Amino acid sequence: MKDKRAYRKNFLLVTAFVILISAFVIAILLLSYKLTRRYIENEFGSRKVDVLEQTIRPYNDFFQNKIAEITSYNGFLNVTSAAKYSGSVFSKYPFVKNVTFYDLDISNNLKRFSFRTNHLSIYINSVYSFLPGKNSNGLPQVKALKKKKLNDADFNQMSLQLSDYIEDVDTAKISSPDIDLRKNFYNIRPNKISYLNIPLRQELKLYKELLRINKPVFNHKQNMFTFYLDPFALKIRNTNPGLYQSITIRPLVYDPIDNDQEKFTTEIAFPGAFSNYKLYFRTNKSFLTHEIIKSFLPIAFGVMLIYFFLLTIALLIYRNLNVNLKLFKLQYDFINNFTHEFKTPVSVIKIAGSNLQSKNELSERQRIHYGKILNEEADKLNELMNKLLSFTQLENKSIQIKSQQIDLDQFTKSQIESLRIKYPSFNISYTDSDIHAFFTDPVLLGSIYQNLMENAYKYSPPERKELAIKIEKNKKEVIFKFKDQGIGIDQAELNNIFKKFYRIQNQYNQNGSVGLGLAFCKELVNFMHGEISVKSSIGKGSEFVVALPYEH
């Protein structure tokens, strides 16, 4: 019955453990799914920036690089070279639907100007419009525009920006004609970008002087382009197809009337010339749920892997409990057998004693015989008791603090003298303390002394085998300081030296150390309700400080 009850308790313990970890795993899975759903929904709102960056990348390349190529022509583009340039724009950037080219002259001719400020005149020589599609020469379709019917708003705006820039610029600080002056030579409006090539520094200097004085007549060529853009021709690049089911380009004011509760929606506006438009994202909840499950599965797999690992641990615990049960039965049998072994000699001794106490007279032979029996059985009992005591001590492995009053000065000196016998060359100095009556376990304290002094000797170079021992009283503690002149300990090692079997790799530790000395000291100090610490510097030595409670 006892065995069955023990087995049932073991089974219930393991069952409770399995139920607990199962409930914990279920809670983790539910929480993980909830967090994964929240993460995916947050990603739905934040990853749209990636889609925008990839979709708008051709426009950024066009704006930052392709348009800037116009400056390299220094204003000397004609209708043919402008047509070739426009053709390269149409072939690479399909969202450019029309290009208007202005062939301009900048001069001080007061009679010939389309825009004028002070003595500076800007004159439109000709204007051409280029459209996608090639003519017989392989160039874009071209159409000459009449200046009288031309809407000069783009030209006037760029001319005004140029004149304002010339008036404010410090030509001495312009280091290169390739300097980024886009804010002055670009005009960005919805679906339209106008650009005037950046003049050279000497040209800017001449234009600036022309604003103030009238120099001899001169002409400088300038080119201006206006690009008409179609945002709906941008290629949408869905970098997250698992998040976004549908991405469209809509006007910025677009707001669908039917707000379907079964759909997730978000939006982000385009920059620059497309600022009147936005990317509109829409995804069905069922579609997003599929992505949530897809992201959740690796987490669930990891959790289940841990779960099966814990189940394995539970199985091992169950097996261990069964082993313990068997050990318990062996111990129970051992005690029964041992008790039986006690009963037999006790019974024999009892019988022999009774016979010796009987009123009947015994012969000499009988007395000798009963005496022999008593001795033999007593020896058996003594042997059994010694075996039991040894077994108990080995099983418990326990010690007790046997506190007694000691004179610290005399105790310390005796420890030093005993070590000097072993190491005559070891120079140990000690200054008498004012503490004479100290209650502690001298055996345990002696073990601490011996380990720390042995450690100081072992890790000191032959020419610096020195140790200074100092004892102080601090409030309710007695402080023992052991300061050597040894090799020292690296700061990175200080947190490890008190760990069992840890060895610092150096020439002093190649042989004769298993890493138990300082660990044993720490265990002893902790057992005596104290603390141990160390301060050390490489090449300068170490100081071990032991603090033990002071008892009167």
Side-chain angles (χ1 to χ4, degrees), residues 342-358 370 373-374 377-378 381:
F342 263 104
K343 286 183 177 180
T344 301
V346 168
S347 299
V348 174
I349 291 173
K350 180 71 173 175
I351 295 172
S354 297
N355 289 332
L356 288 173
Q357 289 180 342
S358 65
Y370 289 135
I373 290 175
L374 289 174
E377 296 305 323
L381 282 177

Side-chain angles (χ1 to χ4, degrees), residues 380-397:
K380 288 182 180 179
L381 282 177
N382 186 53
E383 183 180 354
L384 288 173
M385 291 180 65
N386 287 333
K387 286 183 179 179
L388 179 60
L389 180 60
S390 298
F391 177 81
T392 304
Q393 289 176 338
L394 290 173
E395 186 181 53
N396 292 337
K397 298 180 181 179

Side-chain angles (χ1 to χ4, degrees), residues 259-291:
N259 294 322
D260 193 347
Q261 297 297 325
E262 291 302 312
K263 288 181 172 55
F264 286 94
T265 61
T266 187
E267 60 189 33
I268 187 171
F270 282 115
F274 299 140
S275 58
N276 283 350
Y277 297 86
K278 64 184 178 183
L279 283 176
Y280 184 77
F281 304 81
R282 185 177 61 183
T283 300
N284 290 330
K285 288 187 176 180
S286 58
F287 182 87
L288 203 61
T289 300
H290 179 268
E291 182 66 17

Side-chain angles (χ1 to χ4, degrees), residues 246-522:
S246 171
I247 307 176
T248 55
I249 297 174
R250 300 287 186 179
L252 195 61
V253 295
Y254 173 77
D255 188 14
I257 298 176
D258 55 333
N259 294 322
D260 193 347
Q261 297 297 325
E262 291 302 312
K263 288 181 172 55
F264 286 94
T265 61
T266 187
E267 60 189 33
I268 187 171
F270 282 115
F274 299 140
S275 58
N276 283 350
Y277 297 86
K278 64 184 178 183
L279 283 176
Y280 184 77
F281 304 81
R282 185 177 61 183
T283 300
N284 290 330
K285 288 187 176 180
S286 58
F287 182 87
L288 203 61
T289 300
H290 179 268
E291 182 66 17
I292 294 171
I293 295 174
K294 183 179 177 181
S295 300
F296 172 72
L297 284 178
I299 301 174
F301 176 79
V303 172
M304 293 306 298
L305 190 64
I306 296 174
Y307 175 69
F308 287 117
F309 175 75
L310 293 176
L311 285 182
T312 303
I313 293 177
L315 176 61
L316 294 175
I317 293 174
Y318 176 74
R319 291 180 60 187
N320 184 62
L321 289 174
N322 279 337
V323 170
N324 288 339
L325 176 62
K326 292 178 180 179
L327 291 175
F328 171 77
K329 292 175 65 179
L330 289 174
Q331 184 179 12
Y332 181 79
D333 293 338
F334 168 75
I335 294 174
N336 283 337
N337 294 333
F338 210 90
T339 303
H340 176 74
E341 292 296 327
F342 263 104
K343 286 183 177 180
T344 301
V346 168
S347 299
V348 174
I349 291 173
K350 180 71 173 175
I351 295 172
S354 297
N355 289 332
L356 288 173
Q357 289 180 342
S358 65
K359 297 179 180 180
N360 298 326
E361 292 184 1
L362 299 177
S363 64
E364 186 67 22
R365 181 180 178 184
Q366 286 178 321
R367 283 196 298 271
I368 294 174
H369 175 67
Y370 289 135
K372 182 180 179 181
I373 290 175
L374 289 174
N375 286 331
E376 290 176 352
E377 296 305 323
D379 290 336
K380 288 182 180 179
L381 282 177
N382 186 53
E383 183 180 354
L384 288 173
M385 291 180 65
N386 287 333
K387 286 183 179 179
L388 179 60
L389 180 60
S390 298
F391 177 81
T392 304
Q393 289 176 338
L394 290 173
E395 186 181 53
N396 292 337
K397 298 180 181 179
S398 61
I399 59 174
Q400 292 182 352
I401 297 178
K402 298 178 180 179
S403 183
Q404 64 184 64
Q405 181 178 332
I406 63 173
D407 187 316
L408 276 181
D409 290 338
Q410 292 182 2
F411 179 84
T412 303
K413 290 175 181 179
S414 65
Q415 294 293 325
I416 293 173
E417 290 302 321
S418 64
L419 193 70
R420 280 176 178 166
I421 296 173
K422 186 176 181 181
Y423 304 116
S425 63
F426 196 16
N427 183 16
I428 306 177
S429 62
Y430 171 68
T431 304
D432 289 347
S433 68
D434 296 330
I435 308 171
H436 300 289
F438 180 56
F439 287 86
T440 188
D441 189 321
V443 176
L444 300 184
L445 184 60
S447 296
I448 295 174
Y449 267 80
Q450 292 300 317
N451 276 279
L452 292 179
M453 290 191 296
E454 290 264 4
N455 207 60
Y457 181 84
K458 180 178 180 181
Y459 293 100
S460 295
E463 69 277 7
R464 296 204 312 268
K465 289 191 177 296
E466 300 177 6
L467 176 65
I469 301 176
K470 187 177 182 181
I471 303 176
E472 301 173 347
K473 183 177 179 297
N474 180 18
K475 296 182 180 179
K476 295 183 178 181
E477 293 180 329
V478 176
I479 309 299
F480 299 82
K481 296 182 179 180
F482 298 80
K483 186 174 184 179
D484 61 48
Q485 303 296 321
I487 61 174
I489 306 168
D490 189 88
Q491 294 297 315
E493 304 277 2
L494 290 180
N495 293 329
N496 299 316
I497 60 173
F498 292 112
K499 293 181 180 178
K500 188 166 57 175
F501 303 120
Y502 186 82
R503 298 174 60 199
I504 300 174
Q505 298 300 319
N506 56 50
Q507 60 178 332
Y508 296 91
N509 248 344
Q510 298 304 313
N511 296 297
S513 174
V514 294
L516 285 176
L518 291 177
F520 180 61
C521 278
K522 183 173 179 61

Side-chain angles (χ1 to χ4, degrees), residues 1-219:
M1 292 298 292
K2 289 183 180 180
D3 291 353
K4 291 182 179 180
R5 285 198 296 270
Y7 180 86
R8 190 176 297 116
K9 288 180 181 178
N10 294 343
F11 182 78
L12 289 177
L13 177 63
V14 176
T15 303
F17 179 77
V18 171
I19 292 174
L20 179 62
I21 63 172
S22 299
F24 182 75
V25 166
I26 292 172
I28 289 294
L29 289 174
L30 292 176
L31 181 60
S32 299
Y33 183 81
K34 183 178 179 180
L35 293 176
T36 303
R37 171 178 284 278
R38 184 178 299 175
Y39 172 79
I40 295 298
E41 290 175 356
N42 291 338
E43 287 287 280
F44 180 84
S46 61
R47 301 294 290 184
K48 60 186 177 183
V49 177
D50 297 338
V51 179
L52 175 66
E53 289 177 353
Q54 294 301 318
T55 301
I56 207 67
R57 178 176 290 181
Y59 166 81
N60 291 334
D61 179 68
F62 167 73
F63 180 78
Q64 297 172 5
N65 301 314
K66 190 63 179 179
I67 294 180
E69 289 180 9
I70 297 171
T71 295
S72 63
Y73 293 97
N74 295 322
F76 290 103
L77 284 169
N78 56 28
V79 62
T80 302
S81 55
K84 291 181 179 179
Y85 170 81
S86 300
S88 65
V89 170
F90 291 139
S91 62
K92 190 174 182 180
Y93 307 102
F95 53 85
V96 180
K97 296 303 180 183
N98 187 10
V99 177
T100 301
F101 167 67
Y102 295 78
D103 183 16
L104 307 176
D105 279 343
I106 297 182
S107 69
N108 57 354
N109 191 338
L110 301 180
K111 298 180 179 180
R112 186 171 176 265
F113 64 88
S114 302
F115 178 90
R116 181 175 178 79
T117 174
N118 294 334
H119 300 287
L120 184 67
S121 300
I122 304 176
Y123 179 74
I124 301 175
N125 287 319
S126 57
V127 183
Y128 297 91
S129 177
F130 300 101
L131 296 173
K134 298 181 179 180
N135 55 24
S136 58
N137 297 325
L139 297 175
Q141 301 178 28
V142 59
K143 179 181 178 182
L145 302 179
K146 295 181 179 181
K147 291 184 285 184
K148 291 183 178 180
K149 296 183 179 180
L150 183 68
N151 181 3
D152 290 339
D154 298 327
F155 166 75
N156 291 333
Q157 178 63 34
M158 293 305 300
S159 299
L160 181 60
Q161 288 182 205
L162 177 61
S163 63
D164 291 340
Y165 175 74
I166 293 172
E167 186 173 358
D168 297 332
V169 70
D170 184 357
T171 56
K173 294 182 179 180
I174 299 178
S175 59
S176 168
D178 297 327
I179 192 169
D180 188 6
L181 304 172
R182 293 171 184 166
K183 64 180 181 179
N184 299 290
F185 292 87
Y186 279 83
N187 181 28
I188 303 172
R189 288 188 289 172
N191 302 339
K192 185 189 296 186
I193 300 176
S194 295
Y195 179 80
L196 182 68
N197 69 282
I198 304 173
L200 299 175
R201 183 172 62 178
Q202 56 268 29
E203 293 175 343
L204 289 171
K205 186 176 181 180
L206 184 62
Y207 296 162
K208 191 172 183 68
E209 293 176 355
L210 198 62
L211 288 174
R212 301 181 179 89
I213 59 175
N214 188 13
K215 286 192 171 186
V217 175
F218 73 96
N219 284 296

